Amino acid sequence: MSKKKYQVFLSSTYSDLQTVRDSITRALYELDCIPVGMEAFPAADEEQFEFIKKLIDQTDYYVLVIGARYGSIAPDGMSYTEKEYRYAMEIGVPVLAFVHSSPDTLPKEVSDIRDPKKAEEFYRFRNDVTAARMVKMWDSDQTLPASVVLALNRAFSTSPRQGWIRSPSVDTEKTLEKLVELQEELTSAREELKLFKAMDGQLKDIAGLDAEVTCFVEAWKRDNNSSTVRDGVKEFHVRLEDVFRDVGPNMIESLNQDAFSNMVALFVSKGQRKWNSVEYKFSLTRETLNLLRIQYEALGLIKVFRSKTVGGKTANFWQLTKTGSTEVRRLNVIKAN
C-alpha cells in the first residue's frame, strides 16, 4: 500500500516569522508531509480568509507558531491568525501550538507588546492558546523545526488522520517537487515585490518605457595582427520600449550581459551603421549599459545577478522579473484582428 502523506497547515503572523516559517516548511517536506499556508498572499481580507478556510478543511494537522505579534486585524476586530486557529478548533483539526517563551525579549521590530492596545490582544490570544491545550514553548529559531517534527510524529501515532494516498494515476513525488519549486518562485516574487514597493516610494518621477534615451555603440574590428581594436563610437537615439520589445524575449531565460550589450547595439544601430564587414562586432559603452540597467531595474522589469558562464568564468546575467515577463508579453503578443 502507498505511504500516506499528511497535509499540515502552518499558521503564524508572517513578516516577523518568515525565516522560521521557511525552516519549518523545509522540515515538513523532509518529514514527507504536504505543507500548506498563505505564502503567496498572507491573509489580509475576508475574501482571502474564505479561501484559507477551504485549505484548513482539507488539512490533517494545524501547526500554530506564536512569536510576539497578534497579526493583521479583520473587520470583526480579531486577527486573521486567531480566526484561523479558532476555525481549526471548530472543525476538529488537531492543533499543535508553539508559543515563544519570552516574547518581551524579542526586538521591537517584530513585536506588538510595546503598543498597549496590541499587547492586550496579543496576550489574551496567547493565554487562550496556552490554556486550551498542552503547548510547546520555544525560544530558538534553530531548534523550533525539530520540535515541530517531533510533535507531529507523536500526533501521527496518537491522532491518526485520513491523509493523502498516492493514486496510480498521480505522481505524488513530482507533485511535491512542483510545490517546492512554486514555493521558491513565490519567495522570489515576494522579494521582488518588496524591492518594488521600496523603490516606488523613492522614484515617483521616474521615466517610463516611452522615454527616449541616447545609446553609444562601440564598433570593434580585427587589425592586421588579428587583435581586436576599437573602431569608433556612434550615437543613436531610441525609446526604452523599443529596446525592451526587441531584446526582452531573450531574457525569459537568463542572458549574459555581454550578449545583451551586443543585441542592443545591433538593434539600435540597425540600418544606420556603416560597418558591414564580418570582422566587426558591436557593443554598448559601459555608460550606456549602466543607464539601461538602472532604468529597467528601477521599473521592476529585470534583475541582474552574478553566475558562472559555460567556460567557468563569472559574469553578470540579466533576467526578466514577473513584471518584466508580463510587459514582454504585452509588447510582443500577436493580437487577433
Side-chain angles (χ1 to χ4, degrees):
M1 181 178 290
S2 299
K3 184 178 178 181
K4 182 183 293 187
K5 295 179 182 292
Y6 289 116
Q7 182 165 302
V8 180
F9 191 98
L10 177 57
S11 177
S12 73
T13 50
Y14 186 75
S15 61
D16 55 320
L17 295 174
Q18 182 177 346
T19 301
V20 169
R21 291 179 65 94
D22 290 344
S23 298
I24 293 175
T25 298
R26 286 193 294 271
L28 291 175
Y29 279 121
E30 292 174 5
L31 190 59
D32 217 15
C33 291
I34 305 171
V36 294
M38 299 313 297
E39 303 301 328
F41 41 97
D45 58 42
E46 289 298 293
E47 183 178 349
Q48 290 178 12
F49 181 65
E50 289 304 310
F51 179 72
I52 292 172
K53 287 168 65 176
K54 293 178 182 178
L55 287 179
I56 298 175
D57 288 338
Q58 301 171 353
T59 290
D60 295 300
Y61 300 94
Y62 179 94
V63 172
L64 172 65
V65 179
I66 296 178
R69 277 190 173 165
Y70 181 53
S72 302
I73 306 299
D76 61 6
M78 185 182 296
S79 77
Y80 285 101
T81 303
E82 182 173 358
K83 288 169 74 72
E84 291 176 5
Y85 162 74
R86 295 201 178 281
Y87 183 72
M89 291 277 290
E90 177 186 331
I91 65 173
V93 175
V95 173
L96 289 71
F98 299 84
V99 180
H100 199 284
S101 57
S102 305
D104 56 311
T105 64
L106 294 175
K108 63 180 180 179
E109 294 80 10
V110 295
S111 174
D112 281 344
I113 62 178
R114 289 165 181 79
D115 181 312
K117 185 175 180 180
K118 291 181 180 179
E120 180 180 354
E121 290 302 310
F122 167 74
Y123 279 114
R124 178 195 54 74
F125 177 44
R126 184 177 186 274
N127 291 339
D128 285 349
V129 172
T130 55
R133 60 187 24 76
M134 294 293 292
V135 301
K136 176 71 175 179
M137 295 295 179
W138 68 280
D139 58 13
S140 169
D141 294 2
Q142 286 70 41
T143 60
L144 180 56
S147 297
V148 172
V149 168
L150 288 173
L152 280 170
N153 270 320
R154 191 178 305 115
F156 296 163
S157 299
T158 59
S159 303
R161 301 277 286 172
Q162 180 177 349
W164 297 85
I165 297 177
R166 180 201 300 267
S167 166
S169 62
V170 177
D171 190 334
T172 308
E173 296 301 327
K174 288 186 177 180
T175 301
L176 287 174
E177 288 176 4
K178 186 63 178 178
L179 284 172
V180 175
E181 180 183 330
L182 290 172
Q183 182 112 10
E184 291 174 350
E185 289 181 5
L186 289 170
T187 299
S188 175
R190 286 199 303 271
E191 292 302 317
E192 290 178 12
L193 179 61
K194 187 186 300 181
L195 177 62
F196 182 78
K197 286 181 176 178
M199 292 169 56
D200 187 50
Q202 302 170 11
L203 303 173
K204 293 295 185 183
D205 300 325
I206 186 171
L209 285 178
D210 57 341
E212 184 178 272
V213 295
T214 301
C215 291
F216 293 95
V217 175
E218 297 177 304
W220 302 81
K221 69 175 182 179
R222 294 188 182 278
D223 62 13
N224 294 331
N225 298 319
S226 295
S227 298
T228 303
V229 295
R230 195 177 189 215
D231 193 35
V233 177
K234 275 198 169 187
E235 176 181 330
F236 301 94
H237 300 279
V238 66
R239 292 197 315 152
L240 289 169
E241 182 175 270
D242 294 332
V243 173
F244 198 70
R245 176 188 291 107
D246 184 81
V247 182
N250 296 284
M251 293 186 286
I252 293 174
E253 302 293 338
S254 56
L255 178 67
N256 188 296
Q257 181 168 277
D258 288 342
F260 172 86
S261 178
N262 177 249
M263 288 178 182
V264 176
L266 290 173
F267 171 72
V268 302
S269 60
K270 184 177 181 180
Q272 303 177 57
R273 57 180 183 268
K274 66 178 182 180
W275 316 286
N276 293 309
S277 170
V278 294
E279 296 299 320
Y280 280 89
K281 70 173 187 176
F282 305 92
S283 63
L284 302 175
T285 63
R286 176 159 294 278
E287 293 75 16
T288 298
L289 188 62
N290 288 340
L291 181 150
L292 292 177
R293 172 178 175 174
I294 290 170
Q295 199 69 18
Y296 288 140
E297 282 183 325
L299 291 171
L301 300 175
I302 66 163
K303 56 184 175 182
V304 180
F305 58 92
R306 299 282 289 176
S307 186
K308 292 282 188 181
T309 65
V310 175
K313 296 182 179 180
T314 302
N316 283 339
F317 286 83
W318 295 40
Q319 189 167 19
L320 297 176
T321 62
K322 300 288 185 184
T323 303
S325 296
T326 300
E327 191 64 24
V328 161
R329 287 195 295 270
R330 182 187 72 81
L331 293 172
N332 289 279
V333 70
I334 299 174
K335 298 180 175 64
N337 293 329

